[in-house]
Amino acid sequence: MDRRVLSAILLMMLIAILPAVIFKRPPPAVPADSVATSAPVPSAAGAVDTPGPAPVEAAPPADRPATAADTAPAAPPRVVRVTSPLYTYGFSTRGARLVEATLHRYRSMAPGDPGGTAQIMRPGSDFLGLRLVVGADTVSLRDWEFEPSADSLDAASGTPLTLTAARGAVTVSLTLRFDPDTYQVPVEGLITGIGANGGTLLIGMGPGLRNTESDSLENLTQLGIVTKAADTENTKFDKLKPVPTDLSGPFAWVAVKSKYFVAAVFAVDTLETSSVGRLAGVRARATEEGKVVTAAQVLASMPVPAAGGFGFLVYAGPMEYPRLREMGHDFYDVNPYGWPGFRTVIRPVAVAARWLLVWMHEQLGLAYGMALILFGILVRVALWPLNQKAMRASMAMQAVQPLMKDLQERHKNDPQKLQQEMFKLYKEHKVNPFGGCWPMLLPMPVLFALFFVFLNTIELRGAPFLWLNDLSRPDPLYVIPAVMGLSMYLVSKVGQMGMTPNPQMKMMLYLMPVMMTVLFLNFASGLNLYYAVQNLASVPQQWMLAKERMKMNPTPAPAAEPPAAKGKKKKG
C-alpha cells in the first residue's frame, strides 16, 4: 500500500482513538449541583456521621450540667463576606466553612444562570468544615458557632478575619488573611484543651464544585480529587464508590476541581513558613444519584501537635496557568495538558500555544478567533522548510519507482538481496525512504496540544468569534467542521497534481476528509478553525511543488500493471 495511505490511516487512528478515551461519558445524570447537603460524611476513625436535615448541637461536655442554652434552637448562621476585585469569599459563622466563592472575572454559563457571576461553591458546602479527632473521639466543629472579628471585610485593607469558638474546655481560633490580587488565603489556627497527645484535624473539601458550564455533563466528567505526593494523581469522582476510599499521603496539596475551577488546601510546611506537619491523607466517598456519581464527601487530614497550632493555605479560584504555576509544588498539574505518558511532549507545546494565543489577545488586541487564524498561518510558515524537504523527498522516491519495481521483479525470490539492492539504490540517488513521512507528523503535537488547550484553558472559555458564542465549544451549525473537511480535500487534491493516483489514493482523497469531519464535529470549534486554517495555509506550498513535479514529469506515467496481468498477456 502507498506510504501516504499508511500515514493517513495512522493519523486517523491516533485522532479517532485517543480523544475517544478522553470523552468517555457516563450515562445521563441529574445536574451536578443537585446533591443533598445532608449526605453522609466519613469520619477519620472510620465511623460515618449520620445524615440529618440540619446540623445537630453536640451534647454538653461531661464536666458541666446541661443548660437551657444547650437545648435552645441554634440561631441562623451569618455569612461574613470578604471582597476584592477578583473575588467575594463568604464564610459561614456555623463551622467557619467557605460557603461562597464568587469570581468576579468569570461568568456562569450554567443553564438557568447564564451571564451571572461564577460562584463555585455548592449549596451546603463543607469546604473548610473542620473535625477534630482526639484518641477514639471525633468532634465535628462544622456545627459550632464561630464569632467573627468583623461582619464584612475589604481584602485591600489587609485586616485579617478571626473566627473563634469554644465548647467546654476546647477552644478554636482561626485567623485568615487575604490578598486582593491573588486567590490565596493563608489560614492559621490554634486549638486548646485537646490534651497532651495532640490530635488530627480533618479538613472538609466536599461535596465538589458547583456547575458553572453550559454542558453540565461534560463538567461532571471533569470533577475530581487531585493530590500531590511524589507524583500528581487525579481521582475522578466517577471512580469513587459509596464506601470510603483512602488516599495515602503525605501530600503537599489536595484539591477538588471542575473543568475550569479548583479549590485546594496546601500544607503550610511545603511553603517553608512553618514546621507544621503535612497533609497526612485523604478519605473520600461518592454520593450517587441514580447510580451516577454526582458529588463526593472529601476529608483531608492534618496532624495537630499538643500545643494546638496548625496552618494551611487555601486556593479557591480559576485554573489560570500562570497563577497555578506561581503556587509551586507542580500545582499546574491540577490542570493536565496531555494524556499520562504523553504529557512530556504535549504539555510544553500546549503551554507555549496557550501563552501565544493569550499574548496576541491581550497585547495585540486580537479576538481569539483572529489569533487562532494567525497562529495556524504561523505554524505552516514555521514548518515550510521541513515540508519543502519532505515533499521533494517524496518526489525523489517517485522518480526511482520504476527502478525499484525492476529490482523487486529481479530479486523477488531473494529478499536479502532485494534489501541490499534497494539500500544501494537509495544511496546512489540520495533518496531517504522516510524523508517524506516524518514531517507529516510534525503538526500533530500542535494539534493534540490545542485539543487540551481548548479543553482546559479558562482564558478561551466563552471566547466568541463570528456566529460562534464559545470557541471552546462545538460549532452548533457545524460550519467550521465542514470547512475543515473541505480544506483537507483541497490539500489532498492539489497534492496529487502531476501524479497518477492509484486506487488507494483515490479512495483516501474522498474518505479521509469525510471521516475527519465526522470525528471533529463535536470537538471545540476553535480546534476545527485552527486545523482548517493550517490546511489552507499549506495549499500554496502544495501548488508550487505540484508545478515543480509536473515540470519534471510533464506526462504522468500510467500506473504499472500488476505482475499477474503481465503474466496473462505473456500466456496469450
Side-chain angles (χ1 to χ4, degrees):
M1 187 178 290
D2 188 87
R3 247 189 358 267
R4 291 174 178 267
V5 179
L6 291 174
S7 300
I9 292 174
L10 175 62
L11 298 182
M12 180 175 62
M13 291 177 64
L14 285 172
I15 295 174
I17 296 172
L18 295 180
V21 175
I22 297 296
F23 279 103
K24 183 180 180 182
R25 294 189 170 193
V30 293
D33 288 336
S34 57
V35 54
T37 60
S38 60
V41 178
S43 70
V48 176
D49 299 334
T50 55
V56 179
E57 291 293 327
D63 59 350
R64 69 176 177 86
T67 65
D70 296 321
T71 58
R78 293 172 287 161
V79 176
V80 180
R81 291 182 171 84
V82 182
T83 305
S84 85
L86 294 181
Y87 57 78
T88 294
Y89 292 149
F91 296 89
S92 174
T93 56
R94 181 164 295 162
R97 294 170 289 120
L98 180 61
V99 295
E100 176 185 344
T102 301
L103 310 179
H104 298 156
R105 293 188 178 181
Y106 298 96
R107 59 189 179 91
S108 174
M109 300 177 184
D113 188 27
T117 307
Q119 201 287 96
I120 64 173
M121 291 295 160
R122 291 190 182 188
S125 167
D126 188 44
F127 193 77
L128 302 186
L130 304 179
R131 297 156 180 81
L132 182 63
V133 179
V134 180
D137 297 326
T138 300
V139 179
S140 176
L141 307 180
R142 68 186 305 277
D143 61 341
W144 285 26
E145 292 296 330
F146 283 77
E147 184 63 33
S149 59
D151 293 330
S152 63
L153 278 178
D154 182 348
S157 69
T159 304
L161 173 64
T162 301
L163 297 160
T164 57
R167 283 194 182 179
V170 179
T171 63
V172 180
S173 175
L174 302 172
T175 301
L176 297 84
R177 305 182 187 277
F178 304 92
D179 184 337
D181 300 320
T182 73
Y183 298 95
Q184 302 176 26
V185 181
V187 178
E188 297 175 6
L190 179 64
I191 303 177
T192 62
I194 59 175
N197 296 322
T200 300
L201 187 69
L202 305 179
I203 305 169
M205 301 187 67
L209 300 186
R210 182 173 178 260
N211 177 50
T212 55
E213 308 309 312
S214 56
D215 189 339
S216 58
L217 181 57
E218 181 184 4
N219 189 73
L220 185 64
T221 64
Q222 297 296 317
L223 295 177
I225 306 166
V226 189
T227 55
K228 171 61 179 178
D231 298 314
T232 305
E233 296 290 340
N234 183 5
T235 304
K236 295 289 188 70
F237 277 15
D238 57 14
K239 300 300 182 185
L240 296 173
K241 303 297 181 183
V243 295
T245 297
D246 291 323
L247 308 177
S248 299
F251 300 121
W253 49 263
V254 176
V256 290
K257 66 177 286 288
S258 60
K259 183 176 182 181
Y260 291 111
F261 301 101
V262 62
V265 171
F266 280 72
V268 173
D269 68 324
T270 64
L271 304 176
E272 299 179 354
T273 59
S274 171
S275 60
V276 179
R278 302 179 64 169
L279 295 167
V282 171
R283 172 163 288 189
R285 186 173 65 178
T287 300
E288 293 185 344
E289 295 190 16
K291 296 185 178 180
V292 175
V293 177
T294 58
Q297 303 302 327
V298 184
L299 292 171
S301 63
M302 171 178 285
V304 178
F310 63 90
F312 51 85
L313 180 71
V314 173
Y315 180 98
M319 289 195 291
E320 297 175 7
Y321 186 83
R323 293 186 186 275
L324 302 182
R325 191 173 185 86
E326 286 176 3
M327 297 292 292
H329 304 283
D330 298 335
F331 190 47
Y332 55 78
D333 267 345
V334 78
N335 183 18
Y337 283 131
W339 300 285
F342 292 89
R343 270 178 215 155
T344 304
V345 176
I346 295 177
R347 176 183 282 151
V349 181
V351 171
R354 177 219 157 270
W355 175 85
L356 184 58
L357 291 172
V358 172
W359 182 85
M360 287 192 288
H361 175 70
E362 295 181 348
Q363 301 301 320
L364 302 182
L366 297 176
Y368 277 112
M370 291 303 300
L372 269 173
I373 292 173
L374 181 57
F375 180 71
I377 296 172
L378 288 175
V379 168
R380 273 300 165 187
V381 170
L383 295 177
W384 186 288
L386 292 172
N387 286 330
Q388 193 90 342
K389 185 176 180 180
M391 292 176 186
R392 285 191 172 134
S394 180
M395 290 164 58
M397 281 293 295
Q398 292 172 19
V400 300
Q401 282 295 319
L403 299 176
M404 289 178 61
K405 290 183 183 296
D406 181 61
L407 288 175
Q408 290 169 352
E409 186 69 25
R410 283 191 287 138
H411 303 291
K412 60 183 178 181
N413 296 323
D414 189 351
Q416 186 174 0
K417 181 67 174 178
L418 174 61
Q419 187 177 22
Q420 291 173 353
E421 290 297 322
M422 288 183 68
F423 278 122
K424 184 178 178 181
L425 178 67
Y426 294 149
K427 186 175 182 180
E428 288 176 355
H429 291 267
K430 298 180 180 179
V431 173
N432 182 357
F434 302 105
C437 293
W438 65 266
M440 295 177 62
L441 299 176
L442 287 177
M444 299 311 295
V446 180
L447 184 64
F448 286 143
L450 284 177
F451 174 84
F452 287 100
V453 167
F454 281 102
L455 181 66
N456 299 113
T457 300
I458 194 169
E459 289 87 351
L460 298 175
R461 174 182 181 264
F465 184 65
L466 299 178
W467 68 92
L468 302 168
N469 294 324
D470 188 347
L471 284 170
S472 68
R473 303 290 308 144
D475 182 352
L477 303 179
Y478 304 113
V479 174
I480 299 295
V483 172
M484 186 274 296
L486 290 173
S487 71
M488 289 189 67
Y489 172 80
L490 180 61
V491 169
S492 299
K493 188 69 175 176
V494 173
Q496 292 182 13
M497 290 174 59
M499 300 170 58
T500 302
N502 57 37
Q504 293 93 344
M505 292 175 65
K506 286 183 178 180
M507 178 186 68
M508 296 306 295
L509 173 65
Y510 299 101
L511 184 60
M512 187 70 174
V514 172
M515 294 190 67
M516 291 293 287
T517 300
V518 173
L519 287 171
F520 274 59
L521 279 179
N522 292 316
F523 284 7
S525 54
L527 184 66
N528 280 279
L529 177 62
Y530 160 79
Y531 201 19
V533 167
Q534 66 97 29
N535 281 339
L536 294 173
S538 70
V539 171
Q541 188 177 31
Q542 293 274 5
W543 176 270
M544 291 169 58
L545 290 179
K547 290 292 186 181
E548 187 176 324
R549 184 189 303 117
M550 287 188 287
K551 286 180 181 179
M552 294 172 57
N553 184 22
T555 304
E561 292 183 276
K566 291 181 179 179
K568 288 180 181 179
K569 285 187 178 181
K570 287 180 181 179
K571 289 180 181 178

